[in-house]
Amino acid sequence: RKKLLGAIKDGIKGGAMADPDMWPCVRSALEAILDHLLNDVEHELERNLETAFMQRNIDSNVEGPKGSCLWTPWYRLRAFVLHHYLPHNKLLWGRLKDPIYLLIYLATFLPIHGVRVSIFSLVLLMLVFPGPPDEYQLINFILLCKGCQFLSGGFFQLLLGA
């Protein structure tokens, strides 16, 4: 990591200082500014990487919600739906290989009154209950909901000529 950061710093400095016609006073000032700036950037990168690594280790030990026998079916349904519809470890192409994801995703495009609203209401309830929701998950949910609303309510209806 140090070698990579050193090579990047050298490349930036070399590119900025490459002009042979640069005045010596500007060259020395630019070199000092770049040294301070790149050292600060390197320090911030190291600090943020360390913080992210420590937070990942802390988060990996967190257990899911537990409750009485009454809530166990809800927790299992919640885990199943959220794992397939909003997985933490798959991007678009990985999700498109999952048949459960495709089923839920295509069901949100059905032109039946209230189906999309019901599905997104259930997913929002699953994100919110139990406990405080994660900010990233809520923003991702809002973007998915609005994107689906645009496609099914706007673009597909435009294609149908409604």
Side-chain angles (χ1 to χ4, degrees), residues 3 8 10 14 24 31 44-45 50 53 60 63-64 67 69 73 79 83 101 121 130 137 140 147 156 158:
K3 288 180 186 178
I8 291 172
D10 291 341
E31 188 172 5
E44 283 297 314
L45 280 173
E50 182 180 341
F53 181 72
S60 66
E63 292 185 19
C69 242
H83 176 70
Y101 173 79
S121 297
Q137 287 178 331
N140 190 24
F156 290 151
L158 175 78

PDB file of all heavy atoms in Angstrom, residues 3 8 10 14 24 31 44-45 50 53 60 63-64 67 69 73 79 83 101 121 130 137 140 147 156 158:
ATOM      1  N   LYS A   3       3.899   1.467  -1.205  1.00  0.00           N
ATOM      2  CA  LYS A   3       4.545   1.583  -2.505  1.00  0.00           C
ATOM      3  C   LYS A   3       3.588   2.179  -3.528  1.00  0.00           C
ATOM      4  O   LYS A   3       3.981   3.025  -4.339  1.00  0.00           O
ATOM      5  CB  LYS A   3       5.011   0.207  -2.989  1.00  0.00           C
ATOM      6  CG  LYS A   3       6.198  -0.344  -2.244  1.00  0.00           C
ATOM      7  CD  LYS A   3       6.566  -1.704  -2.813  1.00  0.00           C
ATOM      8  CE  LYS A   3       7.667  -2.353  -2.004  1.00  0.00           C
ATOM      9  NZ  LYS A   3       7.990  -3.691  -2.517  1.00  0.00           N
ATOM     10  N   ILE A   8       1.882   6.772  -6.798  1.00  0.00           N
ATOM     11  CA  ILE A   8       0.859   7.750  -7.199  1.00  0.00           C
ATOM     12  C   ILE A   8       1.332   9.165  -6.891  1.00  0.00           C
ATOM     13  O   ILE A   8       1.186  10.072  -7.720  1.00  0.00           O
ATOM     14  CB  ILE A   8      -0.484   7.434  -6.508  1.00  0.00           C
ATOM     15  CG1 ILE A   8      -1.060   6.137  -7.061  1.00  0.00           C
ATOM     16  CG2 ILE A   8      -1.476   8.577  -6.682  1.00  0.00           C
ATOM     17  CD1 ILE A   8      -2.287   5.639  -6.324  1.00  0.00           C
ATOM     18  N   ASP A  10       4.421  10.214  -6.640  1.00  0.00           N
ATOM     19  CA  ASP A  10       5.500  10.561  -7.572  1.00  0.00           C
ATOM     20  C   ASP A  10       4.949  10.897  -8.955  1.00  0.00           C
ATOM     21  O   ASP A  10       5.429  11.819  -9.617  1.00  0.00           O
ATOM     22  CB  ASP A  10       6.511   9.416  -7.678  1.00  0.00           C
ATOM     23  CG  ASP A  10       7.311   9.242  -6.396  1.00  0.00           C
ATOM     24  OD1 ASP A  10       7.347  10.203  -5.591  1.00  0.00           O
ATOM     25  OD2 ASP A  10       7.886   8.151  -6.204  1.00  0.00           O
ATOM     26  N   GLY A  14       5.421  14.418 -10.572  1.00  0.00           N
ATOM     27  CA  GLY A  14       6.152  14.445 -11.836  1.00  0.00           C
ATOM     28  C   GLY A  14       5.354  15.129 -12.934  1.00  0.00           C
ATOM     29  O   GLY A  14       5.904  15.896 -13.728  1.00  0.00           O
ATOM     30  N   PRO A  24      11.659  29.062 -11.307  1.00  0.00           N
ATOM     31  CA  PRO A  24      12.166  28.351 -10.118  1.00  0.00           C
ATOM     32  C   PRO A  24      11.367  28.662  -8.852  1.00  0.00           C
ATOM     33  O   PRO A  24      11.148  27.776  -8.026  1.00  0.00           O
ATOM     34  CB  PRO A  24      13.605  28.838  -9.990  1.00  0.00           C
ATOM     35  CG  PRO A  24      13.979  29.311 -11.351  1.00  0.00           C
ATOM     36  CD  PRO A  24      12.718  29.804 -11.988  1.00  0.00           C
ATOM     37  N   GLU A  31       6.094  22.586  -5.465  1.00  0.00           N
ATOM     38  CA  GLU A  31       6.604  21.354  -4.865  1.00  0.00           C
ATOM     39  C   GLU A  31       6.275  21.291  -3.379  1.00  0.00           C
ATOM     40  O   GLU A  31       5.849  20.240  -2.872  1.00  0.00           O
ATOM     41  CB  GLU A  31       8.120  21.259  -5.078  1.00  0.00           C
ATOM     42  CG  GLU A  31       8.688  19.926  -4.666  1.00  0.00           C
ATOM     43  CD  GLU A  31      10.155  19.788  -5.061  1.00  0.00           C
ATOM     44  OE1 GLU A  31      10.751  20.747  -5.560  1.00  0.00           O
ATOM     45  OE2 GLU A  31      10.679  18.688  -4.865  1.00  0.00           O
ATOM     46  N   GLU A  44      -5.039  10.884   5.416  1.00  0.00           N
ATOM     47  CA  GLU A  44      -6.494  10.692   5.457  1.00  0.00           C
ATOM     48  C   GLU A  44      -6.891   9.328   4.892  1.00  0.00           C
ATOM     49  O   GLU A  44      -7.791   8.667   5.427  1.00  0.00           O
ATOM     50  CB  GLU A  44      -7.212  11.807   4.686  1.00  0.00           C
ATOM     51  CG  GLU A  44      -7.285  13.112   5.418  1.00  0.00           C
ATOM     52  CD  GLU A  44      -8.081  13.013   6.710  1.00  0.00           C
ATOM     53  OE1 GLU A  44      -9.170  12.425   6.708  1.00  0.00           O
ATOM     54  OE2 GLU A  44      -7.596  13.540   7.724  1.00  0.00           O
ATOM     55  N   LEU A  45      -6.246   8.919   3.807  1.00  0.00           N
ATOM     56  CA  LEU A  45      -6.537   7.596   3.255  1.00  0.00           C
ATOM     57  C   LEU A  45      -6.216   6.494   4.255  1.00  0.00           C
ATOM     58  O   LEU A  45      -7.020   5.567   4.443  1.00  0.00           O
ATOM     59  CB  LEU A  45      -5.746   7.374   1.968  1.00  0.00           C
ATOM     60  CG  LEU A  45      -6.290   8.006   0.710  1.00  0.00           C
ATOM     61  CD1 LEU A  45      -5.303   7.839  -0.431  1.00  0.00           C
ATOM     62  CD2 LEU A  45      -7.611   7.370   0.337  1.00  0.00           C
ATOM     63  N   GLU A  50      -8.200   2.432   7.922  1.00  0.00           N
ATOM     64  CA  GLU A  50      -8.145   1.803   9.236  1.00  0.00           C
ATOM     65  C   GLU A  50      -9.508   1.847   9.922  1.00  0.00           C
ATOM     66  O   GLU A  50      -9.948   0.861  10.497  1.00  0.00           O
ATOM     67  CB  GLU A  50      -7.099   2.502  10.102  1.00  0.00           C
ATOM     68  CG  GLU A  50      -6.939   1.887  11.464  1.00  0.00           C
ATOM     69  CD  GLU A  50      -5.902   2.606  12.300  1.00  0.00           C
ATOM     70  OE1 GLU A  50      -5.068   3.331  11.743  1.00  0.00           O
ATOM     71  OE2 GLU A  50      -5.946   2.432  13.526  1.00  0.00           O
ATOM     72  N   PHE A  53     -11.834  -0.650   8.200  1.00  0.00           N
ATOM     73  CA  PHE A  53     -11.476  -2.015   8.554  1.00  0.00           C
ATOM     74  C   PHE A  53     -11.935  -2.346   9.967  1.00  0.00           C
ATOM     75  O   PHE A  53     -12.491  -3.418  10.211  1.00  0.00           O
ATOM     76  CB  PHE A  53      -9.967  -2.217   8.418  1.00  0.00           C
ATOM     77  CG  PHE A  53      -9.520  -3.601   8.745  1.00  0.00           C
ATOM     78  CD1 PHE A  53      -9.794  -4.645   7.874  1.00  0.00           C
ATOM     79  CD2 PHE A  53      -8.846  -3.870   9.920  1.00  0.00           C
ATOM     80  CE1 PHE A  53      -9.392  -5.931   8.172  1.00  0.00           C
ATOM     81  CE2 PHE A  53      -8.441  -5.145  10.224  1.00  0.00           C
ATOM     82  CZ  PHE A  53      -8.709  -6.187   9.357  1.00  0.00           C
ATOM     83  N   SER A  60     -19.123  -7.310  11.780  1.00  0.00           N
ATOM     84  CA  SER A  60     -19.216  -8.721  11.435  1.00  0.00           C
ATOM     85  C   SER A  60     -19.649  -9.569  12.625  1.00  0.00           C
ATOM     86  O   SER A  60     -20.131 -10.680  12.444  1.00  0.00           O
ATOM     87  CB  SER A  60     -17.889  -9.223  10.891  1.00  0.00           C
ATOM     88  OG  SER A  60     -16.904  -9.193  11.903  1.00  0.00           O
ATOM     89  N   GLU A  63     -25.131  -9.759  15.773  1.00  0.00           N
ATOM     90  CA  GLU A  63     -26.126 -10.777  15.463  1.00  0.00           C
ATOM     91  C   GLU A  63     -27.408 -10.113  15.016  1.00  0.00           C
ATOM     92  O   GLU A  63     -27.666  -8.954  15.305  1.00  0.00           O
ATOM     93  CB  GLU A  63     -26.386 -11.644  16.692  1.00  0.00           C
ATOM     94  CG  GLU A  63     -25.198 -12.516  17.063  1.00  0.00           C
ATOM     95  CD  GLU A  63     -25.527 -13.450  18.195  1.00  0.00           C
ATOM     96  OE1 GLU A  63     -26.726 -13.686  18.456  1.00  0.00           O
ATOM     97  OE2 GLU A  63     -24.591 -13.956  18.816  1.00  0.00           O
ATOM     98  N   GLY A  64     -28.229 -10.867  14.326  1.00  0.00           N
ATOM     99  CA  GLY A  64     -29.516 -10.369  13.874  1.00  0.00           C
ATOM    100  C   GLY A  64     -30.503 -10.270  15.016  1.00  0.00           C
ATOM    101  O   GLY A  64     -30.219 -10.642  16.157  1.00  0.00           O
ATOM    102  N   GLY A  67     -36.143 -12.681  19.051  1.00  0.00           N
ATOM    103  CA  GLY A  67     -37.387 -12.373  19.730  1.00  0.00           C
ATOM    104  C   GLY A  67     -38.045 -13.635  20.225  1.00  0.00           C
ATOM    105  O   GLY A  67     -37.480 -14.726  20.196  1.00  0.00           O
ATOM    106  N   CYS A  69     -41.074 -16.573  20.320  1.00  0.00           N
ATOM    107  CA  CYS A  69     -41.583 -17.515  19.325  1.00  0.00           C
ATOM    108  C   CYS A  69     -42.592 -16.845  18.395  1.00  0.00           C
ATOM    109  O   CYS A  69     -42.723 -17.233  17.239  1.00  0.00           O
ATOM    110  CB  CYS A  69     -42.265 -18.665  20.044  1.00  0.00           C
ATOM    111  SG  CYS A  69     -41.492 -20.234  19.756  1.00  0.00           S
ATOM    112  N   PRO A  73     -41.451 -16.328  12.774  1.00  0.00           N
ATOM    113  CA  PRO A  73     -41.814 -16.377  11.343  1.00  0.00           C
ATOM    114  C   PRO A  73     -41.586 -15.049  10.621  1.00  0.00           C
ATOM    115  O   PRO A  73     -41.149 -15.036   9.467  1.00  0.00           O
ATOM    116  CB  PRO A  73     -43.297 -16.748  11.351  1.00  0.00           C
ATOM    117  CG  PRO A  73     -43.534 -17.380  12.663  1.00  0.00           C
ATOM    118  CD  PRO A  73     -42.568 -16.750  13.605  1.00  0.00           C
ATOM    119  N   ALA A  79     -35.770 -11.972   6.682  1.00  0.00           N
ATOM    120  CA  ALA A  79     -34.424 -12.340   6.246  1.00  0.00           C
ATOM    121  C   ALA A  79     -34.447 -12.888   4.819  1.00  0.00           C
ATOM    122  O   ALA A  79     -33.591 -12.558   4.002  1.00  0.00           O
ATOM    123  CB  ALA A  79     -33.823 -13.366   7.203  1.00  0.00           C
ATOM    124  N   HIS A  83     -32.802 -10.691   1.908  1.00  0.00           N
ATOM    125  CA  HIS A  83     -31.591 -11.304   1.357  1.00  0.00           C
ATOM    126  C   HIS A  83     -31.705 -11.464  -0.155  1.00  0.00           C
ATOM    127  O   HIS A  83     -30.706 -11.350  -0.867  1.00  0.00           O
ATOM    128  CB  HIS A  83     -31.334 -12.662   1.998  1.00  0.00           C
ATOM    129  CG  HIS A  83     -30.163 -13.387   1.406  1.00  0.00           C
ATOM    130  ND1 HIS A  83     -28.866 -12.966   1.598  1.00  0.00           N
ATOM    131  CD2 HIS A  83     -30.088 -14.459   0.596  1.00  0.00           C
ATOM    132  CE1 HIS A  83     -28.051 -13.767   0.948  1.00  0.00           C
ATOM    133  NE2 HIS A  83     -28.764 -14.682   0.322  1.00  0.00           N
ATOM    134  N   TYR A 101     -35.416 -12.859  -6.710  1.00  0.00           N
ATOM    135  CA  TYR A 101     -35.287 -11.434  -7.015  1.00  0.00           C
ATOM    136  C   TYR A 101     -36.071 -11.081  -8.269  1.00  0.00           C
ATOM    137  O   TYR A 101     -36.785 -10.087  -8.308  1.00  0.00           O
ATOM    138  CB  TYR A 101     -33.808 -11.051  -7.187  1.00  0.00           C
ATOM    139  CG  TYR A 101     -33.622  -9.638  -7.679  1.00  0.00           C
ATOM    140  CD1 TYR A 101     -33.736  -8.569  -6.814  1.00  0.00           C
ATOM    141  CD2 TYR A 101     -33.359  -9.376  -9.024  1.00  0.00           C
ATOM    142  CE1 TYR A 101     -33.575  -7.265  -7.257  1.00  0.00           C
ATOM    143  CE2 TYR A 101     -33.206  -8.087  -9.473  1.00  0.00           C
ATOM    144  CZ  TYR A 101     -33.308  -7.036  -8.590  1.00  0.00           C
ATOM    145  OH  TYR A 101     -33.175  -5.751  -9.037  1.00  0.00           O
ATOM    146  N   SER A 121     -44.433  -1.377   0.260  1.00  0.00           N
ATOM    147  CA  SER A 121     -44.809  -1.142   1.654  1.00  0.00           C
ATOM    148  C   SER A 121     -44.305  -2.263   2.547  1.00  0.00           C
ATOM    149  O   SER A 121     -43.813  -2.020   3.655  1.00  0.00           O
ATOM    150  CB  SER A 121     -46.326  -1.015   1.795  1.00  0.00           C
ATOM    151  OG  SER A 121     -46.801   0.083   1.077  1.00  0.00           O
ATOM    152  N   PRO A 130     -37.442  -4.797  12.760  1.00  0.00           N
ATOM    153  CA  PRO A 130     -37.221  -4.256  14.088  1.00  0.00           C
ATOM    154  C   PRO A 130     -36.029  -3.319  14.110  1.00  0.00           C
ATOM    155  O   PRO A 130     -35.078  -3.498  13.377  1.00  0.00           O
ATOM    156  CB  PRO A 130     -36.925  -5.487  14.927  1.00  0.00           C
ATOM    157  CG  PRO A 130     -36.207  -6.390  13.993  1.00  0.00           C
ATOM    158  CD  PRO A 130     -36.815  -6.114  12.631  1.00  0.00           C
ATOM    159  N   GLN A 137     -29.593   1.477   3.404  1.00  0.00           N
ATOM    160  CA  GLN A 137     -30.706   0.651   2.949  1.00  0.00           C
ATOM    161  C   GLN A 137     -31.926   1.498   2.622  1.00  0.00           C
ATOM    162  O   GLN A 137     -32.628   1.225   1.649  1.00  0.00           O
ATOM    163  CB  GLN A 137     -31.058  -0.396   3.997  1.00  0.00           C
ATOM    164  CG  GLN A 137     -30.053  -1.506   4.100  1.00  0.00           C
ATOM    165  CD  GLN A 137     -30.415  -2.498   5.177  1.00  0.00           C
ATOM    166  OE1 GLN A 137     -31.047  -2.156   6.168  1.00  0.00           O
ATOM    167  NE2 GLN A 137     -30.015  -3.743   4.979  1.00  0.00           N
ATOM    168  N   ASN A 140     -31.229   3.327  -0.676  1.00  0.00           N
ATOM    169  CA  ASN A 140     -31.313   2.347  -1.751  1.00  0.00           C
ATOM    170  C   ASN A 140     -32.773   1.975  -2.032  1.00  0.00           C
ATOM    171  O   ASN A 140     -33.181   1.869  -3.195  1.00  0.00           O
ATOM    172  CB  ASN A 140     -30.507   1.104  -1.375  1.00  0.00           C
ATOM    173  CG  ASN A 140     -30.351   0.142  -2.517  1.00  0.00           C
ATOM    174  OD1 ASN A 140     -30.432   0.527  -3.669  1.00  0.00           O
ATOM    175  ND2 ASN A 140     -30.145  -1.112  -2.188  1.00  0.00           N
ATOM    176  N   GLY A 147     -37.307   4.490  -9.096  1.00  0.00           N
ATOM    177  CA  GLY A 147     -36.948   3.964 -10.407  1.00  0.00           C
ATOM    178  C   GLY A 147     -38.026   3.055 -10.966  1.00  0.00           C
ATOM    179  O   GLY A 147     -38.383   3.126 -12.140  1.00  0.00           O
ATOM    180  N   PHE A 156     -43.296   2.640 -19.319  1.00  0.00           N
ATOM    181  CA  PHE A 156     -44.067   1.552 -19.915  1.00  0.00           C
ATOM    182  C   PHE A 156     -45.435   2.023 -20.381  1.00  0.00           C
ATOM    183  O   PHE A 156     -45.940   1.574 -21.404  1.00  0.00           O
ATOM    184  CB  PHE A 156     -44.210   0.373 -18.946  1.00  0.00           C
ATOM    185  CG  PHE A 156     -42.918  -0.362 -18.712  1.00  0.00           C
ATOM    186  CD1 PHE A 156     -42.680  -1.012 -17.512  1.00  0.00           C
ATOM    187  CD2 PHE A 156     -41.930  -0.424 -19.681  1.00  0.00           C
ATOM    188  CE1 PHE A 156     -41.500  -1.686 -17.296  1.00  0.00           C
ATOM    189  CE2 PHE A 156     -40.736  -1.098 -19.470  1.00  0.00           C
ATOM    190  CZ  PHE A 156     -40.527  -1.735 -18.270  1.00  0.00           C
ATOM    191  N   LEU A 158     -46.043   5.002 -21.454  1.00  0.00           N
ATOM    192  CA  LEU A 158     -45.747   5.750 -22.670  1.00  0.00           C
ATOM    193  C   LEU A 158     -45.639   4.813 -23.867  1.00  0.00           C
ATOM    194  O   LEU A 158     -46.155   5.100 -24.946  1.00  0.00           O
ATOM    195  CB  LEU A 158     -44.440   6.541 -22.506  1.00  0.00           C
ATOM    196  CG  LEU A 158     -43.949   7.281 -23.728  1.00  0.00           C
ATOM    197  CD1 LEU A 158     -44.752   8.566 -23.913  1.00  0.00           C
ATOM    198  CD2 LEU A 158     -42.480   7.591 -23.591  1.00  0.00           C
TER     199      LEU A 158
END
